[in-house]
Amino acid sequence: EIAEFFYDKIRWILSEAGIPEKIAAKIDILILVLVVVAVTLVIAELLYRIVLFATRRILKHKRYLFLDKMTIGNRMRKVAYITPPIMLNGMLPFMITDDSVWSVYLERVVWIYFVVSVVMAVNAVLSAVGDSAFTNSRYHDRPIKGFIQIGKIIVYLIAVIVIISILTDKSPLYLIGG
């Protein structure tokens, strides 16, 4: 019902703009998806700013090396940007009412987006762990950087396997077994 309400409003706006009904019926899903993606990105940016504000407040009172390293660069933002694909995955059934080609492709795109955002977040956390361990004097004689790089390579390999499994609609175990 919610999706139909928005589709009717979008079609009405498009018809008022002089766009024919056939074309409006084809692009209404695309417009709704773009609006929802924009809203989820705004929510993720707000979440990032709230978490960054809270982290800076914590760091004013007490120094935590890991949190300090997470504020370097865009590491916190990469972690916060896991939320848009999660929200999009939850909203897909409301945006697309039928079992059309759109639903299959959009679901795959959202899952790939989720895998890529998780890889970026895990890499950001691994970089912060590596930086904080390298700063700590107890770990200067340990090959921390090598362990972090091996961890990142493993994360990338798992992500490639999962993305290929999403694209081919096969189980990741099937691909590993092959």
Side-chain angles (χ1 to χ4, degrees):
E1 292 179 15
I2 297 171
E4 288 299 321
F5 172 77
F6 285 113
Y7 289 138
D8 290 341
K9 293 297 179 188
I10 291 170
R11 287 182 188 142
W12 179 79
I13 291 170
L14 292 175
S15 67
E16 290 294 317
I19 296 175
E21 185 74 27
K22 282 184 173 181
I23 296 173
K26 292 181 180 179
I27 63 173
D28 60 354
I29 293 175
L30 181 64
I31 291 173
L32 183 62
V33 168
L34 290 176
V35 167
V36 170
V37 167
V39 168
T40 58
L41 290 175
V42 167
I43 291 171
E45 185 66 25
L46 287 173
L47 178 68
Y48 159 71
R49 292 183 188 264
I50 290 169
V51 169
L52 188 64
F53 175 76
T55 303
R56 287 184 177 156
R57 294 281 300 226
I58 291 170
L59 288 174
K60 271 186 184 179
H61 299 291
K62 185 163 176 145
R63 285 312 238 192
Y64 293 104
L65 191 57
F66 175 74
L67 282 179
D68 191 34
K69 297 299 181 184
M70 280 299 291
T71 59
I72 296 173
N74 286 329
R75 291 176 180 164
M76 236 11 136
R77 180 173 274 134
K78 289 176 184 175
V79 172
Y81 270 77
I82 291 176
T83 56
I86 294 170
M87 289 188 289
L88 285 173
N89 195 28
M91 291 181 189
L92 273 179
F94 300 110
M95 290 189 299
I96 301 172
T97 56
D98 58 350
D99 292 330
S100 66
V101 175
W102 280 96
S103 65
V104 173
Y105 289 124
L106 280 176
E107 186 176 359
R108 288 183 183 175
V109 167
V110 168
W111 277 108
I112 290 171
Y113 177 33
F114 177 71
V115 170
V116 169
S117 64
V118 166
V119 167
M120 290 173 49
V122 168
N123 282 336
V125 170
L126 284 175
S127 295
V129 167
D131 289 349
S132 61
F134 190 70
T135 305
N136 194 338
S137 63
R138 290 187 294 175
Y139 300 111
H140 271 292
D141 58 340
R142 308 263 197 276
I144 300 296
K145 197 170 193 176
F147 288 134
I148 298 298
Q149 289 175 345
I150 290 171
K152 287 182 179 183
I153 289 171
I154 290 171
V155 168
Y156 282 126
L157 288 174
I158 292 170
V160 166
I161 290 170
V162 170
I163 288 173
I164 290 172
S165 73
I166 290 169
L167 291 174
T168 60
D169 202 23
K170 302 280 186 193
S171 170
L173 297 175
Y174 176 79
L175 294 172
I176 292 171

